[in-house]
Amino acid sequence: MDLSAEEIERVVASVEGGAANVADVYPLAPLQEGLLFHHLLADGGEDAYVLPAVLEFATRAKLDETVEALQRVVDRHDIYRTSIVWEGMSVPVQVVWRHAGLPVVEVTLDPRSADPVAELLAAGGASVDLGRAPLVHLYVAGLPDGRWLALMRAHHMVQDHTAVELMLREVQEFLAGRGGALPPSLPFRNFVAQARGGKERFEHERYFAELLGDVTEPTAPFGLVDTRRDGADAVRARVPFGQDLHSRLRNVSQRLGVSTATVLHVAWARVLAAVSGRQDVVFGTVLFGRMNAGAGADRVPGPFMNTLPVRVRVDELGVLAAVSAMRGQLAGLLEHEHAPLAVAQRASGVAGDTPLFTSFLNYRHNTVQDEDDGRDMVLEGVRLLFSRERTNYPLAVSVDDDGDEISLAVDAVAPVDPQAVGLLVRTAAQRLVDALEQGLAGGSDVPLSAVGVLDGAERRRVVSEWNDTAVDVPVLSLPDLFEAQVARTPDAVAVVSEGVEVSYAELDARANRLARLLIGRGLGPESVVAVAMERGVDMVVALLAVLKAGGAYLPIDPEYPADRIAFTLADAQAQCVLTGTELLSRLSGVEGVAHVPRVVVDDPAVAGGLTALDSTAPSAGERAGVLLPEHPAYVIYT
């Protein structure tokens, strides 16, 4: 990096021990850039990418030897001795410390606590100072029965899912006395150099512009568009696939020559289309990041992962073609797996401050038992009691492939039900496998859009139960229904306009008087009355009055061109025009208006005549004909 003398001073000043403790300085990896953005967005509050895990130790001695082994892992790997410096820098940098002692804070818990894990989590919080290495912290607490708990908080800046597994393996080796046999550690800087010095930025821009250039709106499942959250309110649900689906999924993937991950990307695209109301969907896929990261990348801890967009046109492809296209797209994406997400965002047609997608799929091959299975043994004598990953995305679907079984972990924010989403994905996977097997057997290539996402019970609930809304409706006209409401709530506010409030009783009385005036001029059922008025209380009164007289109203926008208004009046055979004084001059120049009777509602003579009329609703006998529910209420020209 090209750093000025002032920048070097800032870096040195941030490190405990000064220049003697600075081992290296280099830029951030692509994923780290995004993580820093969300850390700054948190502004000292809860950071979505602080990853907590609570471990249980049988004794204090077991805890101490594990902490010592963990410190030796920190000593081995530069990424665990790394801090981030950004204030006063031309670009953010990561700084490797020569030595970084693992912070261990002892916490005293309430011995009567019903949930010591929750109490320890609260004590640790969810914020980390990125400017001080290591970005792994421990909070430990003793329990009354002699067991010990340890909250380990690691920032995603320094590790991903694979790095956790590497850390646990190395801790186990040190505990077993085999630490000296571990291969030499490799620096994370090699990966950063590879990621930043691989494909030129313009190649990334060209690839994503071709893929996303005509995408102008985000794909937002359930309308969720906020990606600037800390993930604290997300709820997780697990949905197993079951052995039959697991076997069939693997079998059909092998026959197609693709990975199960490819097929499940297509299944998620189908679900996403259903829950976002779009047939052209974009979502994030989490890339392993170690495929093209150089020799030995499989044994280097650190955040190699990246999240980049995938696009599927659900309505244009059959299932066989969709799987083939997804295989090609994922293969092409690997060539750009270290591109910053911001590059893909800018290459799309979506506005800069709007997210390109708000959900992602993470396909994980697990070699260490993952979270949520309760008291799992992660090291000899050490049990995992709690583990939680968070994300800034409102909806995340993780596929946990343990080799002999597959399950889903769905994280979603309210009001989305993560269990329901998981069931949609499982059903879509089942139906997709059905369709693929049919195609491989020589059948037609089923359209992807035709793959169902609801099982039988859910389909009955959505299509039949939720739509069982039939109710007995009395055979009444619209004026009858309105008058019944007036009787129920005469004093309730019916209309508000520019600070003026009108009750149901007052609105009814004013409309009744105007209706009687219209009836007196011969208007009744099937008479068309044009209403050319500005929006407001008087217009609502006029529309209701036309209905009460038995007629149908014809809305006329006074801003329309004169020839449009003339055509509409003539074509509808309007028998009367209701208007106001201000609009009368505008209408006077319209051809044909002069031949249509006009009622200027705010004309003093008309207003005076209205006050003398009865304010009760016109009876059936008073109208010029019997009003039926089948009579027209209004005529509209679009």
Side-chain angles (χ1 to χ4, degrees):
M1 296 195 66
D2 256 342
L3 297 181
S4 67
E6 183 182 353
E7 287 176 316
I8 292 173
E9 287 180 11
R10 286 183 179 274
V11 169
V12 169
S14 73
V15 177
E16 186 178 283
N21 200 26
V22 177
D24 207 348
V25 182
Y26 45 86
L28 304 187
L31 178 66
Q32 290 176 312
E33 293 177 355
L35 295 173
L36 178 59
F37 168 80
H38 287 285
H39 174 80
L40 297 177
L41 199 63
D43 194 23
E46 293 208 354
D47 190 326
Y49 292 100
V50 174
L51 312 177
V54 177
L55 305 171
E56 177 196 88
F57 299 83
T59 63
R60 178 63 194 246
K62 185 64 180 179
L63 168 63
D64 289 341
E65 68 175 8
T66 303
V67 171
E68 182 183 349
L70 187 57
Q71 178 66 63
R72 295 178 71 178
V73 173
V74 170
D75 294 340
R76 265 176 56 81
H77 296 288
D78 58 0
I79 187 63
Y80 287 131
R81 303 190 314 279
T82 293
S83 63
I84 311 298
V85 180
W86 63 90
E87 292 181 341
M89 306 294 292
S90 55
V91 293
V93 298
Q94 49 190 321
V95 184
V96 180
W97 297 23
R98 294 190 186 280
H99 176 74
L102 188 64
V104 180
V105 179
E106 191 161 329
V107 177
T108 301
L109 301 179
D110 183 347
R112 297 163 299 177
S113 174
D115 192 347
V117 171
E119 192 177 345
L120 185 58
L121 286 166
S127 61
V128 165
D129 178 7
L130 295 186
R132 184 176 180 82
L135 299 186
V136 180
H137 299 166
L138 287 175
Y139 292 79
V140 302
L143 298 177
D145 61 2
R147 291 175 298 138
W148 280 77
L149 301 181
L151 165 62
M152 184 171 74
R153 302 184 317 151
H155 199 282
H156 200 7
M157 272 282 189
V158 297
Q159 69 178 23
D160 58 17
H161 191 72
T162 302
V164 173
E165 299 179 350
L166 291 170
M167 172 187 279
L168 290 173
R169 278 203 295 269
E170 292 202 356
V171 167
Q172 184 61 58
E173 290 300 296
F174 280 115
L175 289 173
R178 298 189 296 266
L182 289 170
S185 62
L186 297 173
F188 185 66
R189 73 174 343 266
N190 291 355
F191 163 67
V192 176
Q194 173 91 5
R196 298 180 70 93
K199 282 188 176 293
E200 295 289 343
R201 196 178 188 90
F202 78 86
E203 292 184 69
H204 296 317
E205 292 170 347
R206 182 171 56 192
Y207 171 80
F208 287 112
E210 184 176 336
L211 178 67
L212 306 166
D214 59 342
V215 175
T216 57
E217 296 179 12
T219 299
F222 304 101
L224 299 171
V225 294
D226 183 8
T227 59
R228 297 187 175 186
R229 54 178 66 239
D230 62 18
D233 55 347
V235 177
R236 167 164 288 193
R238 280 202 173 275
V239 176
F241 264 26
Q243 195 55 51
D244 179 65
L245 175 57
H246 176 241
S247 299
R248 292 175 60 213
L249 176 61
R250 291 216 184 279
N251 178 263
V252 79
S253 299
Q254 290 170 359
R255 292 173 63 190
L256 288 167
V258 302
S259 66
T260 53
T262 300
V263 176
L264 289 181
H265 273 71
V266 174
W268 174 238
R270 174 64 189 101
V271 172
L272 189 55
V275 300
S276 65
R278 299 178 63 86
Q279 293 299 316
D280 183 357
V281 297
V282 178
F283 60 93
T285 184
V286 178
L287 295 155
F288 184 51
R290 297 171 187 261
M291 303 294 285
N292 301 305
D298 59 329
R299 55 187 176 89
V300 180
F304 283 70
M305 292 164 45
N306 199 8
T307 301
L308 291 173
V310 168
R311 181 181 185 182
V312 181
R313 294 173 175 83
V314 175
D315 58 343
E316 295 182 3
L317 299 169
V319 292
L320 292 172
V323 170
S324 178
M326 180 60 71
R327 174 178 55 191
Q329 186 173 172
L330 292 177
L333 198 60
L334 282 178
E335 296 296 315
H336 303 271
E337 66 175 340
H338 301 307
L341 177 57
V343 171
Q345 171 82 28
R346 286 194 295 269
S348 76
V350 176
D353 59 347
T354 304
L356 178 60
F357 54 85
T358 62
S359 70
F360 69 80
L361 179 73
N362 184 9
Y363 197 100
R364 307 189 293 202
H365 295 275
N366 298 321
T367 57
V368 174
Q369 186 64 47
D370 195 34
E371 59 189 291
D372 282 357
D373 285 328
R375 303 166 63 86
D376 292 315
M377 190 75 73
V378 292
L379 296 167
E380 185 178 347
V382 183
R383 293 185 181 277
L384 175 67
L385 300 186
F386 174 89
S387 177
R388 177 74 187 272
E389 294 176 342
R390 297 198 303 189
T391 173
N392 60 290
Y393 291 96
L395 181 59
V397 178
S398 297
V399 182
D400 287 309
D401 186 342
D402 298 326
D404 55 357
E405 63 179 5
I406 288 178
S407 63
L408 301 173
V410 181
D411 294 281
V413 300
V416 178
D417 178 358
Q419 181 75 19
V421 173
L423 294 175
L424 292 176
V425 177
R426 185 173 70 183
T427 300
Q430 289 172 331
R431 301 289 169 77
L432 179 59
V433 168
D434 291 342
L436 291 170
E437 289 173 341
Q438 175 184 317
L440 288 169
S444 59
D445 191 5
V446 176
L448 179 57
S449 59
V451 171
V453 299
L454 297 175
D455 62 21
E458 278 297 298
R459 185 173 181 80
R460 280 192 301 277
R461 185 161 73 121
V462 173
V463 176
S464 301
E465 295 173 21
W466 284 356
N467 282 289
D468 185 13
T469 56
V471 293
D472 290 329
V473 177
V475 182
L476 297 171
S477 66
L478 187 52
D480 293 332
L481 293 169
F482 176 77
E483 285 153 17
Q485 181 65 34
V486 173
R488 285 191 294 270
T489 60
D491 299 324
V493 174
V495 182
V496 178
S497 177
E498 297 182 349
V500 177
E501 295 185 350
V502 179
S503 70
Y504 273 96
E506 184 182 352
L507 176 62
D508 187 51
R510 290 177 60 179
N512 287 337
R513 293 189 183 99
L514 183 54
R516 288 180 178 278
L517 184 148
L518 296 175
I519 291 171
R521 299 198 178 194
L523 299 173
E526 301 202 29
S527 297
V528 175
V529 179
V531 179
M533 302 176 70
E534 300 284 5
R535 290 173 62 85
V537 174
D538 287 342
M539 186 180 78
V540 177
V541 170
L543 300 179
L544 192 53
V546 173
L547 296 172
K548 283 174 170 283
Y553 64 78
L554 169 69
I556 296 290
D557 187 338
E559 298 298 324
Y560 276 176
D563 58 349
R564 168 71 171 174
I565 294 175
F567 164 78
T568 302
L569 292 173
D571 192 67
Q573 300 178 32
Q575 295 172 248
C576 177
V577 176
L578 283 176
T579 188
T581 305
E582 288 187 12
L583 298 177
L584 185 60
S585 58
R586 195 179 308 170
L587 292 173
S588 297
V590 176
E591 182 181 351
V593 168
H595 304 299
V596 182
R598 285 165 287 174
V599 175
V600 183
V601 293
D602 57 352
D603 180 271
V606 174
L610 285 172
T611 58
L613 295 175
D614 189 348
S615 65
T616 60
S619 65
E622 293 175 287
R623 293 192 186 101
V626 178
L627 178 61
L628 302 175
E630 292 81 4
H631 280 138
Y634 76 102
V635 180
I636 190 165
Y637 285 73
T638 62

